[in-house]
Amino acid sequence: MAIAIVDYGMGNLHSVGKAVERLGYEALVTGDREAILGAAGVILPGVGAFGDAMEHLRESGLDAVVKEAAAGSKPLLGICLGMQLLFSSSEEHGEHEGLNILPGKVVRFAPGELKVPHMGWNRLEFLQPESPLLAGLDAGHVYFVHSYHAVTEVQSDLLAVTDYGHPVTAIVGRGSNFGMQFHPEKSGELGMKLLGNFLALT
């Protein structure tokens, strides 16, 4: 069965799809409810602003579809903004309600000495190496581009962090739902191995 890449008008659909195919899986870029719910796994990509993304999801009805997929047993992965959308809310350009799949809030990096957006290669620190998403992997560097970061309410949802002046949420997971703040498809060997571990769960 295919891996559904949710097409809601915002996201790096092509690069994610190509990465899935390079790992030997069929990628289906779609906004169709039945195709998403019938897929072996679901990837929610995202590039841009949180509020705009939620508006696109709601207008298309795909917010309910993603929530339905998350409530089941099929693996779901949010990437970059897609990971942030899994949380309860965001303060990006005002207060916006998220998909509320994971409790927590997306906040802006505090102004200071560090550049915003946080852009470039940063090392991961695995907090839960026993997670199937991290199985068999050694921590290394992955590629980030973001001005906002997620603050989890439940510590056990936090699988990996990176350091950018303070610990920053990098990978989250609960049950079959996961998120990566970085772009695994742009993160070299480690990124592809992480994506491969997710796809293996399907």
Side-chain angles (χ1 to χ4, degrees):
M1 287 195 295
I3 306 300
I5 300 171
V6 182
D7 183 4
Y8 59 102
M10 293 178 70
N12 45 337
L13 306 173
H14 179 74
S15 60
V16 173
K18 287 297 183 185
V20 168
E21 290 172 352
R22 283 202 305 274
L23 289 165
Y25 294 79
E26 180 187 353
L28 177 63
V29 177
T30 180
D32 179 76
R33 176 183 180 276
E34 299 306 321
I36 293 168
L37 296 179
V42 179
I43 295 178
L44 179 67
V47 173
F50 189 104
D52 292 342
M54 283 304 303
E55 185 177 350
H56 280 257
L57 282 169
R58 282 192 291 266
E59 287 179 350
S60 62
L62 289 170
D63 59 333
V65 177
V66 174
K67 287 182 180 181
E68 189 174 347
S73 58
K74 76 171 76 260
L76 167 71
L77 174 66
I79 294 176
C80 197
L81 175 62
M83 183 200 88
Q84 296 183 359
L85 296 173
L86 302 181
F87 285 89
S88 308
S89 65
S90 171
E91 65 177 30
E92 184 176 2
H93 308 309
E95 288 289 330
H96 302 280
E97 185 178 340
L99 293 169
N100 203 30
I101 293 165
L102 296 174
K105 185 172 185 177
V106 177
V107 302
R108 185 170 175 81
F109 282 109
E113 297 178 359
L114 297 170
K115 290 183 178 179
V116 178
H118 168 211
M119 182 182 300
W121 294 81
N122 271 67
R123 184 174 177 82
L124 294 177
E125 177 188 350
F126 292 166
L127 302 183
Q128 299 189 48
E130 71 282 0
S131 166
L133 202 64
L134 310 179
L137 303 183
D138 294 321
H141 289 73
V142 292
Y143 188 73
F144 292 85
V145 183
H146 60 127
S147 300
Y148 293 77
H149 63 99
V151 178
T152 59
E153 285 185 14
V154 181
Q155 183 65 25
S156 60
D157 291 343
L158 195 55
L159 303 185
V161 297
T162 192
D163 181 77
Y164 197 62
H166 56 83
V168 173
T169 298
I171 304 176
V172 293
R174 177 186 291 192
S176 57
N177 299 319
F178 300 95
M180 300 179 190
Q181 176 60 68
F182 51 90
H183 291 272
E185 77 283 5
K186 299 178 182 177
S187 293
E189 183 179 0
L190 178 56
M192 290 299 283
K193 284 181 176 179
L194 284 161
L195 185 58
N197 275 2
F198 169 76
L199 294 171
L201 298 175
T202 67

